[in-house]
Amino acid sequence: MTVTIAREGSVVVVTVENPPVNALSQALRQALVEAVAELDADSRVKAVVLICAGRTFIAGADVSEFGKPPQPPHLPDVVAAIEAAKKPWVAAIHGSALGGGLEVALGCAYRVALVSASLGLPEVKLGIIPGAGGTVRLPRLIGAAAAVDLATGGSPVGAKKAEGLGLVDAVIDGDLRAGSIAFAESIAEKPLPLPISHRAVPAVEAGFWESAEKAVAAKAKREIAPLRALASLRKACETDFADAMAFERETFLALRGSEQAAALRHVFFAERAAPRPPELAGVTPRDIRSAAVIGGGTMGAGIAAALRDAGLPVVLIERDAAAVERGLANVRAIYDGSVKRGRMAQAVADQRMAGVTGGDDYGLLADTDLVIEAVFEDLVVKRAVFEKLSAVCRSDAVLATNTSYLDPGAISNGIAHPERFLGLHFFSPAHVMKLLEIVPTETTAPEVLAAGFALARQLAKIPVRAGICDGFIGNRILKVTRAQAERLLLSGAPPLAVDAAMRAFGLPMGPFEAQDLGGLDIAAFQRKAARERGETPFAPVAERLCALQRFGQKTGGGWYDYQPGDRSPQPSETVAAVIAEAATGRPQRAWDDASIADAILLPMVNEATRILEERVALRAADIDLVKIHGYGFPRWRGGPMHYAEARGLAEVVAVLDRLAAEGLAEAPSEGLRRAAAAGGFSAGTVGKRCGL
Ligand code: 3H9
């Protein structure tokens, strides 16, 4: 970390360099306080520009310090020192001024920003609220309503919008350093503006806070921080500066040590580690500038849209002209939907669509860099596709399958140049869902695997490397979720109670509602394939429902009954009778929300530990990302592995032992017992064996 001071006539430029994102480490906070004192004492200095080296302005407090006790100088004092400086400080913002970074900028007398910069208070996304005056100064500068949007939503605003809000004083297009120096010269002789902390609190309309509370609560669901941020903003508007600062700081410190903040921090770092697996360090990915998708069904069309959204030209291949038309119509429907919902301008949609070409001739792919197959889940059909691709594509083109259950090794068996082949498992809808499981085969070359990760980055997806097994990481755990849900049915918990318990835990939907939405036939098809492989999948009730053609909402009934035109699930007498029959002779017991959640979640953790032991996943945090980004696991719980660790693995093992004794779950794996003894996955033997 360095803070350098350079003189440009009467203006001084203070440059912060603390890669990667100029986070406010203790050393940087100290250096800023010292710079204020030094420049205050220098009579030649008329104004100060605070600028940052590298990719961004100060992106916030150093999140990695959050697990430790705060060290002085504390950020509120640093901001107060800058605000009290005798010379006007001008924050010169490029990249992002986030969290503590924006708070530092609010301490400055002026703020200027590059047109490409963004500013925001994302603290709530980390389970905390601003802790250095963000909620107290912001309403004084831009009014309560805009401050509520920024501090409770956590999304940044661009420089132009910030200028409109009064958050920045000038937008600079071009050289930020030169522009900021010129700005500083223009204000150097003016009297210092009133510090934001001295400005009047904004007035709000009657009922403003009550309606803001309703709106924030509805959006935040079970996350604590947004409502706490709102409380802090309200305090800022209703008391004096010092009281409001004390309230904000107290709230910040309390949340900083909360379970939700620990979980959200875990996810923050997991998401940033995921795109750069250490095992691929130094490997140059194969270049991907053009792409094709084989198959224009829901999945293929979604993948095509995702590729287009990332700027790649896409060819969509189907078996005949009519299927090509249907495939293109599926892609168009995605863009039409975005336009209808106001998320995309018609001109952008047209431009995206213009970059998708359809055809039934594989010859169109002779020079394509990446081809993703998304045809029917049938080994013979998929192999036929790759045989053709093998014949027409360049030998260095990356060939990928989007299979969810088949063995990519078997799919690629016999193709020319098998080192260019890998699995890229998207989640439906593929243009929306953030997860991408990347599945190398035994022959995949490192630069092809690296191309998969680079593609994920380009597509703004979260990549997770998965080994080959039935269902890879996510669907393999999903099988356990479903089996456990059925075990619960057979031991006295009705579908409604199971779904309600999982919602209470924080999932957007329970396992039975989710199956009714997606269709029971898909899992039935997979079970059939599993039986053909000699396995014995456990789905006694689902099998009976499928035999009754109850495939979910689309057939008017599945785990629940549905009235025509109404998607709300109604308990079904037919299903109750099927469950009663399947449960004959089994012991029944009483279930509450917590014990239902345990009976589903802890066996998932048990399976996930096996997945780690088998190196199907390389890191416990990767499994968390899979469940959060592919299956709606609540982010504020940190994913199943973080949840289990936070709860204590010894307790997890004890609960699983009890469930196993009742025949309601498998016993904890040896790996889980070892991890419990070692105190966690990352510190423990399971993690170590998996390369952590
Ligand atoms: C706060 O400020 C609280 C205050 O109100 C109160 C204090 C009293 N700390 O995302 P990237 C690392 S809360 C530590 O890939 P990009 C990241 O782990 C904070 N490290 O880059 C990664 O490390 P590595 C509020 C951080 O260019 C590297 O930087 N601020 C932090 O795609 C690159 O990250 C935020 O929440 C941090 N604050 O995006 C901002 N931020 O290379 C969070 C990043 O070793 N950060 N790292 O894997 C971001 O949103 C993005 O990093 C940013 C750059 C947009 C800045």
Side-chain angles (χ1 to χ4, degrees):
M1 192 288 302
T2 57
V3 170
T4 47
I5 294 181
R7 278 159 214 286
E8 300 279 344
S10 60
V11 173
V12 155
V13 180
V14 174
T15 306
V16 168
E17 186 161 11
N18 190 22
V21 295
N22 296 310
L24 287 153
S25 61
Q26 191 278 337
L28 175 54
R29 298 197 297 274
Q30 182 70 40
L32 286 173
V33 173
E34 285 166 14
V36 173
E38 181 185 332
L39 299 173
D40 268 1
D42 187 338
S43 60
R44 291 166 300 171
V45 178
K46 296 283 178 256
V48 181
V49 168
L50 174 65
I51 199 164
C52 291
R55 66 173 107 164
T56 179
F57 189 74
I58 299 167
D62 188 340
V63 177
S64 62
E65 285 183 359
F66 279 6
K68 308 165 198 155
Q71 295 295 322
H74 302 300
L75 194 57
D77 302 330
V78 179
V79 177
I82 296 174
E83 193 178 53
K86 296 191 188 110
K87 318 292 163 71
W89 279 53
V90 179
I93 298 165
H94 76 293
S96 315
L98 298 177
L102 181 58
E103 290 173 308
V104 166
L106 291 172
C108 293
Y110 300 96
R111 287 148 297 282
V112 300
L114 261 192
V115 66
S116 56
S118 57
L119 299 88
L121 291 174
E123 284 87 343
V124 290
K125 297 193 170 167
L126 290 164
I128 54 174
I129 68 161
T135 62
V136 188
R137 286 193 178 82
L138 201 57
R140 285 174 160 80
L141 182 66
I142 64 172
V148 166
D149 281 352
L150 274 175
T152 66
S155 299
V157 289
K160 279 278 177 211
K161 175 135 192 234
E163 188 183 30
L165 292 173
L167 183 52
V168 301
D169 301 288
V171 173
I172 291 174
D173 201 357
D175 184 337
L176 178 65
R177 193 173 192 278
S180 318
I181 293 171
F183 181 91
E185 282 165 348
S186 76
I187 53 91
E189 300 301 335
K190 290 190 184 162
L192 274 172
L194 190 65
I196 296 175
S197 63
H198 292 30
R199 296 188 197 173
V201 292
V204 297
E205 294 162 13
F208 172 82
W209 295 109
E210 290 69 23
S211 63
E213 193 168 312
K214 268 197 208 123
V216 172
K219 232 171 128 192
K221 301 206 171 82
R222 301 274 300 282
E223 290 193 27
I224 301 166
L227 275 174
R228 302 303 295 147
L230 186 71
S232 195
L233 289 158
R234 182 170 188 174
K235 193 85 174 170
C237 296
E238 293 179 348
T239 50
D240 63 32
F241 182 77
D243 275 358
M245 284 299 284
F247 182 85
E248 183 197 74
R249 186 76 182 164
E250 195 187 312
T251 311
F252 163 76
L253 288 175
L255 287 178
R256 185 180 185 268
S258 68
E259 280 178 18
Q260 288 199 359
L264 290 165
R265 241 178 358 253
H266 162 76
V267 180
F268 174 88
F269 283 116
E271 284 174 350
R272 276 157 181 85
R276 289 180 287 266
E279 54 276 13
L280 286 178
V283 178
T284 307
R286 277 197 193 166
D287 218 11
I288 292 173
R289 287 160 196 265
S290 58
V293 179
I294 315 292
T298 308
M299 202 62 189
I303 296 172
L307 294 163
R308 270 308 288 143
D309 292 346
L312 291 165
V314 177
V315 180
L316 187 70
I317 298 284
E318 263 291 1
R319 10 177 228 290
D320 53 43
V324 171
E325 274 320 306
R326 278 197 302 274
L328 289 174
N330 287 339
V331 184
R332 199 172 297 114
I334 291 173
Y335 288 123
D336 287 349
S338 300
V339 172
K340 219 158 113 196
R341 280 190 291 274
R343 297 214 184 109
M344 189 179 276
Q346 185 64 52
V348 176
D350 293 346
Q351 181 256 336
R352 300 269 160 95
M353 213 43 225
V356 187
T357 338
D360 58 4
D361 172 12
Y362 278 63
L364 292 168
L365 310 181
D367 197 32
T368 306
D369 296 332
L370 165 72
V371 184
I372 302 175
E373 163 277 312
V375 303
F376 189 61
E377 283 284 284
D378 181 292
L379 187 60
V380 176
V381 178
K382 287 192 189 275
R383 285 180 69 154
V385 167
F386 283 101
E387 207 171 294
K388 283 193 218 159
L389 291 174
S390 200
V392 298
C393 291
R394 274 191 346 251
S395 63
D396 65 342
V398 174
L399 304 185
T401 174
N402 176 54
T403 185
S404 9
Y405 280 92
L406 298 172
D407 175 355
I411 295 174
S412 65
N413 201 356
I415 67 164
H417 301 284
E419 73 284 352
R420 62 181 160 160
F421 181 92
L422 82 171
L424 291 177
H425 183 211
F426 290 79
F427 288 72
S428 193
H431 60 292
V432 176
M433 297 295 282
K434 285 264 174 244
L435 178 64
L436 182 64
E437 282 182 327
I438 300 186
V439 193
T441 67
E442 275 181 7
T443 51
T444 304
E447 65 273 17
V448 172
L449 182 57
F453 278 85
L455 179 76
R457 254 181 112 83
Q458 206 176 341
L459 268 52
K461 299 218 179 283
I462 305 278
V464 170
R465 177 179 176 158
I468 295 177
C469 65
D470 187 21
F472 310 127
I473 299 173
N475 284 341
R476 179 166 156 184
I477 298 175
L478 179 63
K479 264 203 310 197
V480 173
T481 316
R482 290 187 171 158
Q484 285 307 114
E486 291 216 21
R487 285 205 170 90
L488 282 163
L489 298 183
L490 302 186
S491 59
L496 207 61
V498 174
D499 283 342
M502 296 316 285
R503 277 178 188 267
F505 179 81
L507 278 130
M509 233 184 252
F512 297 118
E513 305 164 87
Q515 286 181 59
D516 273 0
L517 186 66
L520 276 69
D521 44 343
I522 305 166
F525 177 74
Q526 284 150 5
R527 287 195 298 272
K528 181 166 166 274
R531 276 194 295 275
E532 281 163 13
R533 288 195 302 269
E535 295 167 23
T536 44
F538 179 79
V541 185
E543 288 296 359
R544 287 175 165 85
L545 297 187
C546 289
L548 295 171
Q549 305 291 306
R550 293 185 66 99
F551 293 126
Q553 288 189 14
K554 60 184 169 192
T555 54
W559 291 100
Y560 297 98
D561 289 341
Y562 297 90
Q563 299 306 321
D566 182 0
R567 286 165 169 242
S568 49
Q570 308 297 330
S572 158
E573 280 174 24
T574 313
V575 174
V578 169
I579 294 171
E581 190 203 327
T584 311
R586 289 189 180 242
Q588 304 289 295
R589 56 167 272 191
W591 292 95
D592 60 14
D593 278 2
S595 56
I596 288 174
D598 275 359
I600 291 186
L601 291 163
L602 304 188
M604 286 164 62
V605 171
N606 199 20
E607 184 68 13
T609 311
R610 283 198 197 91
I611 285 175
L612 265 182
E613 283 192 281
E614 293 167 23
R615 294 183 62 81
V616 167
L618 296 189
R619 285 165 281 272
D622 280 353
I623 297 174
D624 288 334
L625 292 178
V626 166
K627 297 315 285 183
I628 290 170
H629 290 292
Y631 300 83
F633 199 95
R635 192 181 171 83
W636 54 270
R637 295 265 195 199
M641 304 304 261
H642 176 86
Y643 170 74
E645 278 190 320
R647 185 153 161 195
L649 294 185
E651 188 187 326
V652 170
V653 166
V655 176
L656 281 170
D657 272 332
R658 281 202 298 278
L659 286 168
E662 288 186 65
L664 292 171
E666 285 186 25
S669 72
E670 281 312 307
L672 186 54
R673 289 187 198 282
R674 272 200 311 281
F681 296 113
S682 41
T685 42
V686 176
K688 227 175 227 139
R689 284 215 286 134
C690 296
L692 267 175

mmCIF file of all heavy atoms in Angstrom, residues 89-103:
data_model
loop_
_atom_site.group_PDB
_atom_site.id
_atom_site.type_symbol
_atom_site.label_atom_id
_atom_site.label_comp_id
_atom_site.label_asym_id
_atom_site.label_seq_id
_atom_site.Cartn_x
_atom_site.Cartn_y
_atom_site.Cartn_z
ATOM 1 N N TRP A 89 -10.858 19.117 -0.183
ATOM 2 C CA TRP A 89 -10.472 17.850 -0.817
ATOM 3 C C TRP A 89 -11.489 17.530 -1.909
ATOM 4 O O TRP A 89 -12.702 17.681 -1.694
ATOM 5 C CB TRP A 89 -10.431 16.718 0.220
ATOM 6 C CG TRP A 89 -9.152 16.696 1.037
ATOM 7 C CD1 TRP A 89 -8.606 17.726 1.741
ATOM 8 C CD2 TRP A 89 -8.281 15.564 1.227
ATOM 9 N NE1 TRP A 89 -7.437 17.322 2.354
ATOM 10 C CE2 TRP A 89 -7.216 15.997 2.063
ATOM 11 C CE3 TRP A 89 -8.280 14.243 0.778
ATOM 12 C CZ2 TRP A 89 -6.169 15.142 2.446
ATOM 13 C CZ3 TRP A 89 -7.253 13.392 1.170
ATOM 14 C CH2 TRP A 89 -6.194 13.849 1.992
ATOM 15 N N VAL A 90 -10.978 17.080 -3.063
ATOM 16 C CA VAL A 90 -11.846 16.699 -4.185
ATOM 17 C C VAL A 90 -11.638 15.208 -4.437
ATOM 18 O O VAL A 90 -10.524 14.780 -4.745
ATOM 19 C CB VAL A 90 -11.465 17.487 -5.467
ATOM 20 C CG1 VAL A 90 -12.347 17.068 -6.636
ATOM 21 C CG2 VAL A 90 -11.539 18.992 -5.223
ATOM 22 N N ALA A 91 -12.684 14.419 -4.277
ATOM 23 C CA ALA A 91 -12.566 12.987 -4.585
ATOM 24 C C ALA A 91 -12.668 12.832 -6.091
ATOM 25 O O ALA A 91 -13.636 13.292 -6.699
ATOM 26 C CB ALA A 91 -13.675 12.211 -3.884
ATOM 27 N N ALA A 92 -11.661 12.207 -6.704
ATOM 28 C CA ALA A 92 -11.656 11.995 -8.153
ATOM 29 C C ALA A 92 -11.918 10.513 -8.391
ATOM 30 O O ALA A 92 -11.050 9.674 -8.160
ATOM 31 C CB ALA A 92 -10.308 12.414 -8.728
ATOM 32 N N ILE A 93 -13.126 10.218 -8.859
ATOM 33 C CA ILE A 93 -13.597 8.827 -8.834
ATOM 34 C C ILE A 93 -13.557 8.173 -10.219
ATOM 35 O O ILE A 93 -14.124 8.709 -11.185
ATOM 36 C CB ILE A 93 -15.044 8.792 -8.278
ATOM 37 C CG1 ILE A 93 -15.038 9.339 -6.832
ATOM 38 C CG2 ILE A 93 -15.625 7.388 -8.331
ATOM 39 C CD1 ILE A 93 -16.423 9.685 -6.312
ATOM 40 N N HIS A 94 -12.907 7.032 -10.293
ATOM 41 C CA HIS A 94 -13.049 6.170 -11.476
ATOM 42 C C HIS A 94 -13.364 4.773 -10.961
ATOM 43 O O HIS A 94 -13.215 4.499 -9.770
ATOM 44 C CB HIS A 94 -11.771 6.176 -12.332
ATOM 45 C CG HIS A 94 -10.651 5.343 -11.763
ATOM 46 N ND1 HIS A 94 -10.012 5.674 -10.582
ATOM 47 C CD2 HIS A 94 -10.062 4.197 -12.197
ATOM 48 C CE1 HIS A 94 -9.064 4.772 -10.324
ATOM 49 N NE2 HIS A 94 -9.073 3.864 -11.290
ATOM 50 N N GLY A 95 -13.828 3.883 -11.843
ATOM 51 C CA GLY A 95 -14.190 2.536 -11.370
ATOM 52 C C GLY A 95 -15.382 2.652 -10.431
ATOM 53 O O GLY A 95 -16.430 3.159 -10.804
ATOM 54 N N SER A 96 -15.182 2.217 -9.193
ATOM 55 C CA SER A 96 -16.306 2.224 -8.252
ATOM 56 C C SER A 96 -15.912 2.916 -6.960
ATOM 57 O O SER A 96 -14.860 2.625 -6.404
ATOM 58 C CB SER A 96 -16.717 0.789 -7.902
ATOM 59 O OG SER A 96 -16.796 -0.018 -9.043
ATOM 60 N N ALA A 97 -16.781 3.804 -6.475
ATOM 61 C CA ALA A 97 -16.636 4.347 -5.117
ATOM 62 C C ALA A 97 -17.728 3.670 -4.311
ATOM 63 O O ALA A 97 -18.898 4.034 -4.411
ATOM 64 C CB ALA A 97 -16.828 5.854 -5.122
ATOM 65 N N LEU A 98 -17.331 2.643 -3.565
ATOM 66 C CA LEU A 98 -18.347 1.824 -2.897
ATOM 67 C C LEU A 98 -18.139 1.820 -1.395
ATOM 68 O O LEU A 98 -17.005 1.853 -0.907
ATOM 69 C CB LEU A 98 -18.277 0.376 -3.410
ATOM 70 C CG LEU A 98 -18.560 0.179 -4.904
ATOM 71 C CD1 LEU A 98 -18.383 -1.288 -5.296
ATOM 72 C CD2 LEU A 98 -19.975 0.639 -5.247
ATOM 73 N N GLY A 99 -19.244 1.710 -0.661
ATOM 74 C CA GLY A 99 -19.175 1.555 0.784
ATOM 75 C C GLY A 99 -18.294 2.617 1.415
ATOM 76 O O GLY A 99 -18.482 3.828 1.215
ATOM 77 N N GLY A 100 -17.277 2.143 2.152
ATOM 78 C CA GLY A 100 -16.352 3.066 2.799
ATOM 79 C C GLY A 100 -15.698 4.012 1.807
ATOM 80 O O GLY A 100 -15.346 5.144 2.160
ATOM 81 N N GLY A 101 -15.563 3.587 0.559
ATOM 82 C CA GLY A 101 -14.981 4.448 -0.481
ATOM 83 C C GLY A 101 -15.879 5.654 -0.736
ATOM 84 O O GLY A 101 -15.410 6.795 -0.849
ATOM 85 N N LEU A 102 -17.192 5.389 -0.811
ATOM 86 C CA LEU A 102 -18.118 6.507 -1.007
ATOM 87 C C LEU A 102 -18.156 7.363 0.260
ATOM 88 O O LEU A 102 -18.274 8.594 0.186
ATOM 89 C CB LEU A 102 -19.520 5.995 -1.355
ATOM 90 C CG LEU A 102 -20.554 7.091 -1.614
ATOM 91 C CD1 LEU A 102 -20.119 8.014 -2.750
ATOM 92 C CD2 LEU A 102 -21.920 6.496 -1.949
ATOM 93 N N GLU A 103 -18.038 6.722 1.409
ATOM 94 C CA GLU A 103 -18.066 7.493 2.661
ATOM 95 C C GLU A 103 -16.873 8.455 2.736
ATOM 96 O O GLU A 103 -17.007 9.598 3.171
ATOM 97 C CB GLU A 103 -18.095 6.535 3.854
ATOM 98 C CG GLU A 103 -19.455 5.825 3.937
ATOM 99 C CD GLU A 103 -19.499 4.733 4.984
ATOM 100 O OE1 GLU A 103 -18.604 3.851 4.966
ATOM 101 O OE2 GLU A 103 -20.412 4.745 5.816
#
